Amino acid sequence: MTAIMTNPGEPKVATMDNFMNMTKKAGHTPEIQRLIDLHAVLNDAMNGQLILAPINLEEPGKRILDSGTADGTWLRGVRDSLSAQHHYFGSDIEGELFPTQPDGITYFQQSFQEPWPTDLRNSFDLVHVRGSLAGSSPKRPVEVIKNLASLPKPGGWIQLMEMNAFNPPSNGPAMTDFAHMASQVWTGIGVGDFANQLKTMLEEAGLHNAQERRIIVELGKRAKPELQAQSVNGVSAPVKPIAAVAKDLKTSFSREQLDGLQGRVRAELENEGGRVEMIVAWAQQPVEG
């Protein structure tokens, strides 16, 4: 955890607060659209198989929780891909993101940093988190994962998915700078290279049968024509709020470089394309007896 001095004698702990504040200021609609766009691209890269944990989803009645669900896009995508009926739950620290109209999913406000309600513990067949673990700060991601490990029933699973910012695939200069900035921000707020440690952290949380898969996602001009615009928005939109966090940290980027990075990333993706690597890891709650 890194303390930075904003005023003499007044240390401030760097977290993702600036990211959250900026996305709130922009309004919920652009953030939800970004998540919808990114979901479409990731779903395609995963060939429509959003759940990699080996769960028998043909058997109805599974309890599936998406932590950091926002408007429930991932849950609806899973539900739409399956014929069997299951019970879907979405949690998020920002309850304002939940759909205003009922969609058959149970939503509730909850930070994954805080202890989970006792009636939810040991109750889920799958607990899913995607693209949210940077929000563990000021805690370490492994502490959040240990907290999540209280939720699966014996034999249940946790599945995590995050972008690899520390060892990204080869890209143009703007996307390379974006990865460098993100890695410096993750280091500065104390979460470190969590994407490459997902499998290890699941094991440290006491889960068994941990597995990992790495998925290359094509973006912008390199993506399928029908996904090009969505991939550009899904990846370039968070550059500005992450840069806002970087401004409160000691990084190798000037404020002017941070201000211009989002436009550079967007232009590079539109004109040349790019790639990111997503890391998916899953592990199982030990079966009793």
Side-chain angles (χ1 to χ4, degrees), residues 43-281:
N43 184 51
D44 181 75
M46 299 175 77
N47 298 313
Q49 187 180 355
L50 294 170
I51 297 176
L52 301 184
I55 302 169
N56 181 9
L57 295 168
E58 295 180 0
E59 179 182 84
K62 296 291 189 289
R63 288 169 55 87
I64 298 171
L65 169 68
D66 184 34
S67 175
T69 197
D71 74 326
T73 292
W74 182 86
L75 287 167
R76 289 191 297 275
V78 170
R79 184 177 61 187
D80 291 348
S81 71
L82 301 174
S83 57
Q85 299 296 308
H86 301 292
H87 306 292
Y88 297 95
F89 301 81
S91 67
D92 203 289
I93 193 171
E94 295 293 339
E96 299 93 338
L97 295 172
F98 298 155
T100 56
Q101 299 297 322
D103 61 356
I105 294 170
T106 300
Y107 295 94
F108 61 98
Q109 195 164 354
Q110 170 76 30
S111 167
F112 62 15
Q113 294 188 10
E114 300 300 325
W116 293 85
T118 54
D119 62 325
L120 296 180
R121 297 176 193 174
N122 305 304
S123 71
F124 291 101
D125 296 279
L126 175 68
V127 176
H128 174 264
V129 179
R130 183 174 73 182
S132 298
L133 284 176
S136 303
S137 179
K139 293 185 177 181
R140 297 181 303 144
V142 69
E143 295 177 66
V144 167
I145 294 170
K146 288 178 178 178
N147 192 32
L148 291 169
S150 69
L151 294 171
K153 61 178 64 171
W157 295 81
I158 293 179
Q159 179 176 304
L160 310 172
M161 185 174 188
E162 298 288 345
M163 186 186 78
N164 184 0
F166 281 75
N167 296 290
S170 177
N171 273 307
M175 282 293 290
T176 298
D177 283 349
F178 176 31
H180 287 164
M181 179 194 68
S183 66
Q184 291 177 46
V185 168
W186 302 162
T187 299
I189 65 174
V191 296
D193 185 9
F194 57 89
N196 283 291
Q197 299 168 5
L198 295 178
K199 182 172 178 285
T200 299
M201 290 189 292
L202 287 167
E203 293 170 333
E204 188 175 337
L207 281 76
H208 295 179
N209 301 320
Q211 300 290 323
E212 176 187 278
R213 183 180 299 177
R214 292 169 182 256
I215 300 168
I216 295 296
V217 183
E218 304 289 349
L219 306 171
K221 199 170 183 178
R222 298 183 63 152
K224 295 177 180 178
E226 65 271 22
L227 293 173
Q228 289 183 3
Q230 286 180 298
S231 68
V232 171
N233 184 53
V235 170
S236 68
V239 175
K240 187 174 182 179
I242 295 175
V245 180
K247 290 178 181 179
D248 278 346
L249 297 166
K250 183 178 181 180
T251 73
S252 63
F253 294 88
S254 68
R255 296 184 72 87
E256 291 74 18
Q257 289 172 322
L258 292 171
D259 286 338
L261 185 55
Q262 184 182 51
R264 290 178 56 220
V265 167
R266 179 176 289 274
E268 184 173 280
L269 291 179
E270 290 174 342
N271 296 323
E272 303 172 27
R275 302 190 303 170
V276 293
E277 181 181 67
M278 301 299 295
I279 302 175
V280 189

Side-chain angles (χ1 to χ4, degrees), residues 12-75:
K12 179 183 177 182
V13 177
T15 68
M16 289 295 284
D17 286 351
N18 280 359
F19 181 98
M20 299 297 295
N21 292 337
M22 182 167 285
T23 53
K24 282 183 180 180
K25 189 177 295 185
H28 295 312
T29 300
E31 174 63 4
I32 289 174
Q33 187 59 55
R34 177 189 77 82
L35 294 171
I36 292 171
D37 289 345
L38 185 61
H39 173 81
V41 177
L42 296 179
N43 184 51
D44 181 75
M46 299 175 77
N47 298 313
Q49 187 180 355
L50 294 170
I51 297 176
L52 301 184
I55 302 169
N56 181 9
L57 295 168
E58 295 180 0
E59 179 182 84
K62 296 291 189 289
R63 288 169 55 87
I64 298 171
L65 169 68
D66 184 34
S67 175
T69 197
D71 74 326
T73 292
W74 182 86
L75 287 167

